[in-house]
Amino acid sequence: MIVIGKNVALELFKNNNKINKIYLYENFNDKKILNEIQKRNIEPTYKTKDELYKIDKGNHQGIILDIPNFKYSELEDVRDIENGFIVMLDHIEDPHNFGAIIRTCEAAGVDAIIIPKDRSVEVNSTVMKVSSGALNNMKIVMVTNLNNTIKRMKQDGYWIIGTTMDSKDEYSKFDYNFPLVLVIGNEGEGISRLTKELCDVLVTIPMRGKINSLNASVATGILVYEITKKRK
């Protein structure tokens, strides 16, 4: 997997992640990063700007790293967590949203995030950058089918809490002191119909302004911290 940028590089060094290869701009002069590279006895490959942009067209800040693909957790790793709190993303597509959600969930102590394999953003360079290191401390589970996963989680005693604008129940009215999966919908369409039908409870965040929806990562932050507060 190709990742870019100085902050991402520093996080990888900090967590001692495996790095296959490092590409640097020929005039790269960040002494802190150069020292970290030297400590690890990695021989970087120097490139011109044009050569770097052929590898990745993003804002790489003069450094591109080739690292092993992200290793997802297995569903079995999270099914039996005592009084577990899991966030499920129903086909989130924006990597900035995904990265921000990971950061929020890690900060709030969420146990894991579940994403679907298809029609959903995966862990990539942008997600890693936006999550600001939280990715290293958060279990991300990729599953083939969200609805089948929900059914399995129900068998394990989890309650499924869906988010929708159509519910009459405000998110703040429940105590949430039980094993739960919080389902966050797609940026444009929300939670899919079949997934919504499988939810035990549907909650809404009241909109008192002139707009009628929130960014997915913002909505996740509001809900996650309300649930965390109620579960103390």
Side-chain angles (χ1 to χ4, degrees), residues 15-105:
N15 291 287
N16 204 28
N17 292 77
K18 182 179 179 182
I19 299 171
N20 297 327
K21 201 161 189 178
I22 298 177
Y23 301 95
L24 295 179
Y25 173 50
E26 56 191 357
N27 292 327
F28 189 83
N29 61 2
D30 188 307
K31 292 182 179 179
K32 185 174 182 179
I33 289 178
L34 290 173
N35 286 337
E36 292 294 335
I37 292 173
Q38 188 175 27
K39 283 180 189 177
R40 287 157 180 76
N41 295 317
I42 300 173
E43 187 65 37
T45 300
Y46 287 89
K47 299 278 188 181
T48 65
K49 283 186 178 179
D50 287 341
E51 288 172 332
L52 286 178
Y53 280 120
K54 286 180 181 179
I55 300 172
D56 191 289
K57 292 182 171 58
N59 181 23
H60 48 65
Q61 301 175 301
I63 181 167
I64 298 175
L65 305 97
D66 181 338
I67 64 174
N69 288 335
F70 180 77
K71 186 175 180 181
Y72 293 93
S73 298
E74 298 292 332
L75 185 60
E76 301 303 321
D77 297 335
V78 303
R79 286 180 65 189
D80 59 354
I81 297 173
E82 184 177 354
N83 201 32
F85 179 13
I86 295 172
V87 169
M88 176 180 283
L89 305 181
D90 188 355
H91 299 94
I92 293 291
E93 298 174 345
D94 187 335
H96 292 88
N97 273 338
F98 189 20
I101 288 170
I102 292 170
R103 188 173 181 178
T104 296
C105 288

Side-chain angles (χ1 to χ4, degrees), residues 2-3 9 12 58 72 92 94 99 108 115 125 130 154 156 165 182 213-214 232:
I2 296 295
V3 296
L12 292 171
Y72 293 93
I92 293 291
D94 187 335
I115 63 172
S125 179
V130 176
K154 283 189 171 189
D156 293 333
M165 292 172 55
L182 174 67
S213 64
L214 291 171
K232 285 184 178 179

Side-chain angles (χ1 to χ4, degrees), residues 3-4 9 21 73 105 148 154 159-160 167 171:
V3 296
I4 62 174
K21 201 161 189 178
S73 298
C105 288
N148 287 342
K154 283 189 171 189
W159 282 68
I160 313 301
S167 175
Y171 71 101

Side-chain angles (χ1 to χ4, degrees), residues 167-179:
S167 175
K168 295 179 182 179
D169 293 325
E170 290 193 15
Y171 71 101
S172 58
K173 70 177 289 186
F174 300 97
D175 66 13
Y176 300 109
N177 196 24
F178 42 77

Side-chain angles (χ1 to χ4, degrees), residues 72-73 113-118 121-123 140-144:
Y72 293 93
S73 298
I113 298 172
I114 297 176
I115 63 172
K117 184 176 181 180
D118 299 322
V121 65
E122 299 182 4
V123 173
I140 311 292
V141 179
M142 180 182 283
V143 298
T144 303

